[in-house]
Amino acid sequence: MALGKSIKMYLTIFVATTCIYMVLYQYHISRQPITSPELLKPPPLYIITPTYRRPEQLAELTRLGYTLKHITNLLWLVIEDANQTSPLVQHTLNRIGVPYIYLIAPMPEKYKKNKKALPRGVSNRNRGLEWLRQNATEGVFYFADDDNTYDISIFEEMRYTKKVSMWPVGLVTKFGVSSPIIRNGTISGYYDGWIGGRKYPVDMAGFAVSVKFLHERPTAQMPFKPGYEEDGFLKSLSPLNVTEIELLASNCTEILTWHTQTKKNENAAPLNMTKYRDTNLVSIHKLLVRK
Ligand code: UDP
Ligand code: MN
């Protein structure tokens, strides 16, 4: 009898405690703000990277790719100056694991004649603009060459660009840096070792543009004019008032991107197949640019 009573008592306590916990839990849930993942997403970033086959290519893409891997809501548009896509590039991009689109855009033959001054990466970047016009509606795009160095904080800063944003780029010309000159908080000119009559003497790594703004400038594109690619593209975004250019990197007082140039490496010597036919060197050699 006494045993039955205490079981009943414990059961009552158990049920009552469970009920109290359930009520408290419901209350806790109801207090949580309604969050949809879509609402939390920052504006997308489109990184347009021209690339081409050479001994350094896979190394450069690997280095840049792992930098970009730190950034959320980013799509990497890798555009190769080639007549066909390369399984090696494809494999490298898959291994890195950054969301990407891989396209080709060969340099037109007529521009290849002047060996000294090629319009490097221009057909690639214009292909990138074409892709954006067809596929993107919001966010910001940036031309990131495969051989430069980028601090990841510049990507978060450029993400909110309304029209065009600019910032300094290190390792450009004998001045060591290319930058807008800021006086009283506004652009009063440009500091660059080569002005060359340009309205915008800036480096490719030193500006970003909003996708909406690009849509408002349907004819904007990059000219096949060595040395004047940035200037020509920025001029094609006109009308653009100098006061509308947003200044990043703490009002252009920091260097967060560098025009690093990699040492040119020689193509690899041919492999002696008689000697190494049955070894790993055959596989490795397929990855190299050979003589
Ligand atoms: N590039 C290209 N085709 C070429 C030469 C260069 O697509 O024939 C790409 C290259 O991968 C890089 C960009 O264009 O992303 C700029 O080229 P490079 O770094 O050689 O020029 P620099 O920075 O020295 O002006
Ligand atoms: Mn370069």
Side-chain angles (χ1 to χ4, degrees):
M1 187 66 178
L3 190 67
K5 238 183 185 173
S6 60
I7 286 173
K8 214 170 167 183
M9 190 180 79
Y10 280 124
L11 261 177
T12 315
I13 291 168
F14 176 74
V15 170
T17 321
T18 312
C19 286
I20 289 165
Y21 269 111
M22 276 168 65
V23 168
L24 285 176
Y25 183 68
Q26 288 295 331
Y27 177 70
H28 171 76
I29 291 280
S30 71
R31 301 268 305 180
Q32 301 268 316
I34 303 161
T35 50
S36 123
E38 282 305 311
L39 288 177
L40 288 174
K41 263 192 177 175
L45 268 181
Y46 298 95
I47 308 300
I48 298 174
T49 297
T51 190
Y52 72 112
R53 181 131 174 88
R54 62 204 191 279
E56 305 82 33
Q57 183 184 31
L58 302 180
E60 305 285 33
L61 290 174
T62 299
R63 194 154 46 102
L64 173 55
Y66 282 103
T67 296
L68 299 180
K69 206 166 179 176
H70 293 278
I71 320 298
T72 61
N73 208 15
L74 174 149
L75 185 64
W76 192 15
L77 306 179
V78 179
I79 311 177
E80 183 157 358
D81 176 356
N83 293 312
Q84 56 203 33
T85 56
S86 142
L88 291 178
V89 169
Q90 188 94 54
H91 180 73
T92 304
L93 298 177
N94 288 340
R95 189 172 56 192
I96 296 167
V98 167
Y100 73 87
I101 304 273
Y102 177 32
L103 304 168
I104 50 166
M107 184 188 297
E109 289 299 324
K110 59 179 170 182
Y111 299 117
K112 290 186 183 170
K113 288 181 193 128
N114 186 356
K115 283 262 182 298
K116 267 194 189 151
L118 291 173
R120 298 164 176 274
V122 173
S123 56
N124 325 37
R125 297 190 196 94
N126 282 331
R127 179 69 187 88
L129 295 176
E130 187 189 330
W131 187 94
L132 289 175
R133 287 189 167 108
Q134 288 165 358
N135 299 283
T137 55
E138 54 176 351
V140 165
F141 70 91
Y142 175 53
F143 297 121
D145 287 356
D146 59 0
D147 56 338
N148 294 337
T149 308
Y150 308 90
D151 184 302
I152 56 171
S153 55
I154 197 65
F155 296 103
E156 291 313 327
E157 290 196 28
M158 73 173 77
R159 202 190 278 281
Y160 299 94
T161 301
K162 289 189 189 75
K163 287 189 173 176
V164 175
S165 56
M166 285 186 184
W167 58 88
V169 181
L171 298 175
V172 176
T173 73
K174 60 178 190 294
F175 287 6
V177 67
S178 167
S179 175
I181 302 167
I182 313 304
R183 215 169 250 131
N184 303 321
T186 55
I187 299 183
S188 73
Y190 296 88
Y191 185 76
D192 191 298
W194 176 67
I195 298 297
R198 293 179 293 172
K199 179 178 182 188
Y200 299 104
V202 300
D203 188 81
M204 198 65 74
F207 65 91
V209 180
S210 104
V211 169
K212 283 214 165 80
F213 188 53
L214 181 74
H215 280 298
E216 290 165 14
R217 302 286 183 272
T219 57
Q221 61 164 339
M222 190 166 286
F224 286 88
K225 198 176 166 192
Y228 293 84
E229 293 93 338
E230 298 89 344
D231 187 48
F233 175 67
L234 288 166
K235 284 202 296 209
S236 78
L237 292 173
S238 123
L240 170 69
N241 197 295
V242 68
T243 55
E244 296 175 306
I245 299 174
E246 297 149 66
L247 306 173
L248 305 187
S250 308
N251 257 335
C252 297
T253 61
E254 290 182 87
I255 297 178
L256 299 175
T257 56
W258 291 263
H259 179 250
T260 327
Q261 285 177 303
T262 312
K263 172 181 96 68
K264 287 257 171 294
N265 293 269
E266 266 188 56
N267 291 2
L271 183 70
N272 183 335
M273 279 307 241
T274 333
K275 206 167 168 188
Y276 299 115
R277 196 180 15 160
D278 53 351
T279 72
N280 63 317
L281 300 185
V282 177
S283 306
I284 293 178
H285 226 70
K286 287 189 186 131
L287 306 172
L288 308 183
V289 176
R290 274 157 283 109
K291 273 189 176 133

